[in-house]
Amino acid sequence: GENVEQHPSTLSVQEGDSAVIKCTYSDSASNYFPWYKQELGKGPQLIIDIRSNVGEKKDQRIAVTLNKTAKHFSLHITETQPEDSAVYFCAALPGQNQGGKLIFGQGTELSVKP
Amino acid sequence: DTAVSQTPKYLVTQMGNDKSIKCEQNLGHDTMYWYKQDSKKFLKIMFSYNNKELIINETVPNRFSPKSPDKAHLNLHINSLELGDSAVYFCAVKTTREQYFGPGTRLTVT
């Protein structure tokens, strides 16, 4: 079955710097890759997603890139702000769609220092 | 109105007890999930229901039993609670674009 690996597990940056979180997946048939942000005491919230027919997608300060050949996708946050501090999860939707079952990475705890 | 709500938000109970967590959604979509998030933040799917029918059961002990009385509700009942059941449990709803998560229920078993 699908397996998603996420790195790093923790990331600390200075305010204004960029942050990059990387994920790899194993199922080449996976076709949808969302990123979720989880703030303390809250449920994960979708921040950006990308489908397998697109290589890059951008939404203001966040962007996601997908390399299907390498089975690798990344989240890029530019001009980081303290409110970006949270746990970020990547996920993949396997090609054999079992009721929309997402496979999540292990999470990255991002800390943005003022 | 909150799209996905869970009750209670916190639940502290002793080993061996039986407890339920409730989930209600007003998004109007048919597929709902239960996830478990352990102390290391790892999110793992437990169950998926579509229109009150079980779709996914991820090798969860049979002490856990989801119940869907109607399309807007998916409750989680846990029998004979164990220390290892301590975690945050999230309900989620599959919309056309995303899985929309509830606020979570923190279960602590002592």
Side-chain angles (χ1 to χ4, degrees):
Chain A
E2 174 67 287
N3 184 49
V4 177
E5 296 287 333
Q6 182 173 348
H7 298 281
S9 56
T10 60
L11 180 59
S12 182
V13 300
Q14 287 295 132
E15 183 177 358
D17 288 350
S18 295
V20 180
I21 302 170
K22 299 181 178 182
C23 289
T24 59
Y25 60 98
S26 59
D27 181 359
S28 56
S30 290
N31 54 28
Y32 173 66
F33 306 92
W35 284 88
Y36 283 83
K37 175 184 181 182
Q38 185 178 19
E39 297 177 337
L40 196 61
K42 297 184 179 181
Q45 183 178 14
L46 180 73
I47 55 171
I48 195 167
D49 54 10
I50 192 167
R51 297 196 179 272
S52 59
N53 58 349
V54 176
E56 185 174 356
K57 185 176 178 181
K58 191 173 180 180
D59 183 3
Q60 298 182 353
R61 294 187 299 109
I62 59 173
V64 57
T65 59
L66 171 65
N67 182 328
K68 282 170 44 181
T69 304
K71 289 187 279 187
H72 170 278
F73 59 113
S74 300
L75 177 72
H76 303 253
I77 306 174
T78 58
E79 300 172 25
T80 52
Q81 300 167 4
E83 51 265 38
D84 294 330
S85 295
V87 179
Y88 290 81
F89 292 94
C90 63
L93 182 66
Q96 242 184 337
N97 190 349
Q98 304 164 33
K101 171 183 169 183
L102 286 175
I103 307 300
F104 283 86
Q106 297 88 339
T108 296
E109 185 166 2
L110 173 65
S111 175
V112 180
K113 298 183 177 179
Chain B
D1 279 348
T2 304
V4 182
S5 60
Q6 293 180 229
T7 52
K9 186 165 177 63
Y10 300 98
L11 182 54
V12 180
T13 188
Q14 291 184 328
M15 284 175 56
N17 284 349
D18 303 338
K19 291 292 179 185
S20 291
I21 305 171
K22 296 185 177 181
C23 176
E24 178 179 2
Q25 59 112 344
N26 62 8
L27 295 171
H29 289 271
D30 292 349
T31 303
M32 298 179 70
Y33 308 86
W34 276 108
Y35 283 86
K36 179 180 180 181
Q37 186 172 47
D38 61 25
S39 58
K40 295 184 178 179
K41 301 288 187 183
F42 187 62
L43 269 170
K44 186 170 169 55
I45 192 168
M46 300 174 69
F47 299 101
S48 168
Y49 263 74
N50 183 281
N51 195 15
K52 302 195 296 176
E53 181 181 344
L54 180 66
I55 303 298
I56 297 171
N57 181 342
E58 286 288 313
T59 60
V60 177
N62 58 13
R63 298 183 295 104
F64 291 78
S65 53
K67 289 182 171 56
S68 182
D70 54 59
K71 290 196 295 184
H73 296 84
L74 180 62
N75 303 323
L76 184 64
H77 188 76
I78 315 170
N79 288 329
S80 304
L81 278 155
E82 301 177 356
L83 292 176
D85 298 332
S86 295
V88 181
Y89 292 85
F90 288 100
C91 175
V93 177
K94 182 177 180 293
T95 68
T96 50
R97 187 196 172 194
E98 63 178 289
Q99 284 194 21
Y100 197 106
F101 284 79
T105 296
R106 180 175 292 278
L107 171 64
T108 303
V109 183
T110 62

